[in-house]
Amino acid sequence: NNLHKKVALTMFAHKKPVLCEKPTAMNYTEAQEMTTAARKAGVFFATNFWNSAFPVVRYVRNAIRQGAVGKIVQISGDMGFQTV
């Protein structure tokens, strides 16, 4: 994770897009540097949030968009895996 900035900036210097795993950066300043470099290079830059493709996440997102749950003030969630 401490190498994400170095690798991303190298890729942006070569006009290559970057899909970064979490955490994107070690702090806010690093994330800002990476975002600025990507914009200057005109390339794609994002953090991989693979859980956004889960069916339950899609279901909840659609329910919110359709107004089925009212005004959202805060959302909190946990995720785990059964290993046995």
Side-chain angles (χ1 to χ4, degrees), residues 15-50:
K15 306 287 187 197
K16 300 293 182 185
V18 173
L19 179 61
C20 197
E21 188 53 73
K22 298 181 298 298
T24 302
M26 298 302 289
N27 55 52
Y28 177 81
T29 302
E30 283 191 5
Q32 280 299 112
E33 287 179 59
M34 295 161 74
T35 301
T36 299
R39 287 182 178 151
K40 285 182 181 177
V43 296
F44 177 84
F45 174 51
T47 302
N48 183 28
F49 289 102
W50 58 274

Side-chain angles (χ1 to χ4, degrees), residues 64-75:
I64 292 168
R65 287 180 180 154
Q66 294 171 3
V69 295
K71 180 181 176 185
I72 303 297
V73 177
Q74 179 178 344
I75 295 177

Side-chain angles (χ1 to χ4, degrees), residues 43-65:
V43 296
F44 177 84
F45 174 51
T47 302
N48 183 28
F49 289 102
W50 58 274
N51 56 349
S52 64
F54 287 177
V56 68
V57 174
R58 289 181 183 166
Y59 176 84
V60 171
R61 186 182 302 125
N62 287 334
I64 292 168
R65 287 180 180 154

